[in-house]
Amino acid sequence: MKLATLRDGTRDGTLVVVRRDHAVFAKATGIAPTMQAALDDWANVEPKLRALADRLEKGEVEGTPVEVEQLASPLPRAYEWVDGSAYINHVILVRKARNAEPPPTLRTDPLVYQGGSGAFLAPTDDIPLADVEWGCDFESEIAVVLDDTPQGTTAAEAGRHVKLLMLVNDVTLRNLIPPELAKGFGFFQSKPASAFSPFAITPDELGGAWKEGRVHLRLQTWLNGELVGDTDAGPEMHFSFFDLVQHIAKTRSYTAGTIVGSGTVSNEDRARGISCLAEQRMVEIIESGSPKTPFMKPGDLVEIEMFDEAGRSLFGRIRQRVVQK
Amino acid sequence: MKLATLRDGTRDGTLVVVRRDHAVFAKATGIAPTMQAALDDWANVEPKLRALADRLEKGEVEGTPVEVEQLASPLPRAYEWVDGSAYINHVILVRKARNAEPPPTLRTDPLVYQGGSGAFLAPTDDIPLADVEWGCDFESEIAVVLDDTPQGTTAAEAGRHVKLLMLVNDVTLRNLIPPELAKGFGFFQSKPASAFSPFAITPDELGGAWKEGRVHLRLQTWLNGELVGDTDAGPEMHFSFFDLVQHIAKTRSYTAGTIVGSGTVSNEDRARGISCLAEQRMVEIIESGSPKTPFMKPGDLVEIEMFDEAGRSLFGRIRQRVVQK
């Protein structure tokens, strides 16, 4: 099942069910008004949404054509957005880029940070940039949406709490990071609003590609129309989504609709390209002594999408242009 | 005006207006179902809530007796919880306690972290502690609730976005902090669920004590019935709430209902006592070489309250007992 949120002038939009080919949608009116409302009562709501999705698939319900620009992020605002950094290659490269050592617990203790979740960008919203010197970067990631997840949930139990998956562009202001991390409290100003894919999908839509808390498919990223990343999201995700859930549930509980991100998808094989510019710049430093690729500037366009093995888009496309704010 | 959220078995509870003496409440039914709904439409809703509060004050509306145990935190879950650390004395003492230097920008660049906001404890909820070795501490703080606050809001503009004030117990697991901060991503497991005061109040309830984004009153803390802190929340708040809002709005916008905390209220004058045990332990280390006061253990009771100059309670009392989870 694929879901989306239609912009309707309200804060949380209207929940819609989307046909598997992304061509048409049907409003979930009468089932759940918003994505958050659906997640708040998922056990009751999910079968009804699936029944509607089935009827839409079979043509028994009239669909309205999808216009991606009319969609908000599936959760236009969420109660929590917890982003991991589960691809070890990304951690190593990005820390090299700021002359920082990877933590000694790199492979045993997941890195996560708490992100802002009150005002996400839509999948096709511009990225407002007030100062090009901030070093605006994209980060192409995968995220899961949880239902109520109690304190003490283990990795073995985590799978049952994953209700939906999405893609994310975790926009990052690279040049604000070093002074911010030097203060010791983690990211804040360096993490402006993120944007999510048009469609949030249930794990069964991934078939066998959803395995032990990882998505075994390629995540593609284009910058100004050029494919810059075709990274494998599967084997190099050192900590699975299930590991991340166990980590974050050690000392507290989570409400339905909490979003957990994978961190930038990253492969050791450089031929796979990049899911953020910081990695590209680090590779250039290693190879030639200095970075050649600039960070994004007004006018630049980043696109992120994932296809299944038959070449069908799974989540729709994040498509964002940087604009001067 | 004073507001609260009545537990009713739903996730977000029922919004109620509370009489100034905290004795009785009236449901805001027909005005706004929940605190978040009120904040989402504050300009329309506030005058109606104030009219109801007036009638309640005059006895024109029948009030129901307040039982604090029936109240949730005013926002049982919020879209963002951003906590500052605006009292310089606290930063210096706590960093000494973990052998860390205060950042060189201590007095020019506010410290803030993004906290978990999806599942707050109620003001009288037990604090569930799985492991006493985690070093469970309280932190007595003040917080403001914002309406929609755009990116680029300045300190001079911030006042108009502050709609409500509350007290907070920002529970902290001290012994989880050093390994967590060593990883460079800030707090996460070390910050379990916070609890807020029973009542959220509009700034006018503070009269002249609300001045330039600071609350010029004493914040009191009791541990197991003993007054351990009687700290002045005013002059030593180095960065005002308005400064904190300007800081966090540099690179993104905030949705209505975002909560911003002051950080632990702390005074240089040790006679004022403490708003967290970490400070007490640091003073002991300075005075005698080692800490004598243990962190909280199951059975310990922490209470936090603030009174106006006439001795009237402003926010009601946070009253939480630590229990073995």
Side-chain angles (χ1 to χ4, degrees):
Chain A
M1 176 171 61
K2 300 193 179 197
L3 302 174
T5 292
L6 195 64
R7 302 204 220 208
D8 63 0
T10 68
R11 293 173 180 274
D12 300 302
T14 297
L15 179 63
V16 301
V17 169
V18 179
R19 203 168 66 190
R20 199 158 280 127
D21 68 359
H22 303 173
V24 295
F25 71 80
K27 290 188 184 180
T29 316
I31 301 175
T34 67
M35 187 75 76
Q36 182 64 47
L39 289 158
D40 280 348
D41 190 26
W42 191 252
N44 285 315
V45 165
E46 186 193 10
K48 295 174 192 165
L49 291 175
R50 283 194 184 270
L52 176 59
D54 268 359
R55 294 204 302 279
L56 184 66
E57 216 65 50
K58 290 176 184 155
E60 296 169 11
V61 173
E62 198 183 356
T64 306
V66 169
E67 291 178 49
V68 175
E69 293 71 19
Q70 292 186 350
L71 300 179
S73 278
L75 286 161
R77 51 182 182 175
Y79 288 106
E80 302 210 26
W81 159 227
V82 180
D83 197 12
S85 188
Y87 294 85
I88 299 288
N89 191 59
H90 174 75
V91 179
I92 292 173
L93 275 180
V94 172
R95 298 227 171 184
K96 260 191 198 160
R98 45 175 209 261
N99 282 316
E101 285 295 311
T105 54
L106 180 68
R107 287 182 166 79
T108 53
D109 188 20
L111 282 165
V112 297
Y113 77 92
Q114 186 95 30
S117 55
F120 293 132
L121 299 177
T124 57
D125 269 355
D126 291 337
I127 299 169
L129 181 62
D131 186 345
V132 75
E133 294 303 318
W134 290 349
C136 185
D137 202 356
F138 54 86
E139 291 194 346
S140 311
E141 308 189 6
I142 302 165
V144 298
V145 182
L146 305 180
D147 68 357
D148 289 303
T149 303
Q151 185 178 344
T153 297
T154 63
E157 296 161 341
R160 75 179 76 138
H161 296 293
V162 173
K163 297 305 173 193
L164 296 168
L165 291 105
M166 308 184 289
L167 305 182
V168 197
N169 180 13
D170 181 46
V171 182
T172 298
L173 302 169
R174 294 285 172 204
N175 296 338
L176 300 187
I177 290 182
E180 196 147 58
L181 293 197
K183 296 195 291 175
F185 269 34
F187 307 106
F188 199 94
Q189 292 175 332
S190 51
K191 291 289 186 180
S194 297
F196 293 82
S197 53
F199 311 116
I201 71 175
T202 48
D204 56 292
E205 290 292 328
L206 292 167
W210 175 240
K211 210 157 50 189
E212 294 168 1
R214 294 177 181 83
V215 178
H216 289 265
L217 289 168
R218 296 276 177 80
L219 181 62
Q220 299 193 306
T221 304
W222 296 260
L223 183 61
N224 297 323
E226 183 196 349
L227 183 72
V228 293
D230 186 23
T231 50
D232 189 337
E236 291 179 65
M237 188 180 182
H238 183 78
F239 299 104
S240 73
F241 281 111
F242 301 162
D243 296 329
L244 295 177
V245 169
Q246 172 172 311
H247 179 79
I248 69 171
K250 177 175 172 176
T251 62
R252 55 186 169 96
S253 299
Y254 293 84
T255 194
T258 292
I259 307 172
V260 180
S262 65
T264 307
V265 176
S266 179
N267 295 155
E268 279 191 53
D269 178 1
R270 286 184 195 161
R272 299 255 59 82
I274 48 136
S275 303
C276 74
L277 292 172
E279 289 191 17
Q280 177 66 33
R281 288 163 58 91
M282 191 58 224
V283 168
E284 290 163 356
I285 291 171
I286 292 167
E287 287 178 350
S288 74
S290 66
K292 307 223 161 356
T293 304
F295 288 119
M296 290 195 290
K297 57 187 184 311
D300 283 347
L301 178 72
V302 59
E303 296 169 281
I304 303 168
E305 194 163 7
M306 179 178 266
F307 298 89
D308 68 11
E309 291 189 347
R312 290 171 299 213
S313 177
L314 284 163
F315 301 93
R317 182 175 287 217
I318 295 174
R319 188 172 194 280
Q320 298 191 274
R321 198 175 289 282
V322 178
V323 298
Q324 184 73 42
K325 187 193 154 65
Chain B
M1 175 169 64
K2 300 193 179 196
L3 303 173
T5 293
L6 195 63
R7 303 202 219 207
D8 63 0
T10 68
R11 293 174 180 272
D12 300 302
T14 297
L15 179 63
V16 301
V17 170
V18 180
R19 202 167 68 190
R20 200 158 279 128
D21 67 359
H22 303 173
V24 295
F25 71 81
K27 288 188 185 181
T29 316
I31 301 175
T34 66
M35 187 74 77
Q36 182 63 48
L39 289 157
D40 279 348
D41 190 26
W42 191 252
N44 285 316
V45 165
E46 185 193 11
K48 296 174 192 164
L49 291 175
R50 283 193 183 272
L52 176 60
D54 268 359
R55 294 204 303 278
L56 184 66
E57 216 64 52
K58 290 176 183 155
E60 296 169 10
V61 174
E62 198 182 355
T64 306
V66 170
E67 291 178 51
V68 175
E69 292 70 21
Q70 292 186 351
L71 300 179
S73 278
L75 286 161
R77 53 182 181 173
Y79 288 106
E80 302 210 24
W81 157 229
V82 181
D83 198 12
S85 189
Y87 295 85
I88 299 287
N89 190 60
H90 174 75
V91 179
I92 291 173
L93 275 180
V94 173
R95 297 229 172 183
K96 260 189 197 159
R98 46 174 209 259
N99 283 318
E101 285 295 311
T105 55
L106 180 68
R107 287 183 166 78
T108 53
D109 187 20
L111 282 165
V112 297
Y113 76 92
Q114 186 95 32
S117 56
F120 293 132
L121 298 177
T124 58
D125 269 354
D126 291 335
I127 299 169
L129 181 62
D131 186 345
V132 75
E133 295 303 317
W134 290 348
C136 184
D137 201 356
F138 54 86
E139 291 195 346
S140 311
E141 308 189 7
I142 302 167
V144 298
V145 182
L146 306 180
D147 68 357
D148 290 302
T149 301
Q151 184 178 347
T153 297
T154 64
E157 297 161 340
R160 78 178 72 135
H161 295 294
V162 173
K163 298 306 172 192
L164 296 168
L165 290 104
M166 308 183 288
L167 304 181
V168 198
N169 180 14
D170 181 46
V171 181
T172 298
L173 301 169
R174 294 285 172 205
N175 295 338
L176 299 187
I177 291 183
E180 195 147 57
L181 293 197
K183 295 195 290 174
F185 270 33
F187 307 105
F188 199 95
Q189 293 175 332
S190 52
K191 292 288 186 181
S194 296
F196 293 83
S197 52
F199 311 116
I201 71 175
T202 49
D204 56 291
E205 290 292 327
L206 292 167
W210 174 240
K211 211 157 50 190
E212 295 168 359
R214 293 176 183 84
V215 178
H216 290 265
L217 289 169
R218 295 277 178 79
L219 181 63
Q220 300 192 308
T221 305
W222 295 261
L223 182 61
N224 297 323
E226 183 196 348
L227 184 72
V228 294
D230 187 24
T231 50
D232 189 338
E236 292 178 65
M237 188 180 182
H238 183 78
F239 299 104
S240 73
F241 280 111
F242 301 164
D243 296 329
L244 295 178
V245 170
Q246 172 173 308
H247 179 79
I248 68 172
K250 178 174 171 176
T251 60
R252 56 187 170 97
S253 300
Y254 293 85
T255 194
T258 292
I259 307 172
V260 180
S262 65
T264 307
V265 176
S266 179
N267 295 156
E268 278 190 54
D269 178 1
R270 286 184 195 162
R272 299 255 57 84
I274 48 134
S275 302
C276 73
L277 292 171
E279 290 191 16
Q280 177 66 33
R281 289 164 58 90
M282 192 58 224
V283 168
E284 290 163 356
I285 290 170
I286 291 166
E287 288 178 349
S288 74
S290 66
K292 309 225 159 356
T293 304
F295 288 119
M296 289 195 291
K297 57 187 184 312
D300 283 347
L301 178 72
V302 59
E303 296 170 280
I304 303 169
E305 194 163 7
M306 178 178 268
F307 298 90
D308 68 12
E309 291 187 347
R312 289 170 299 212
S313 177
L314 284 164
F315 301 93
R317 183 175 287 216
I318 295 174
R319 189 173 192 280
Q320 297 190 275
R321 198 175 290 280
V322 177
V323 298
Q324 184 71 43
K325 188 193 155 63

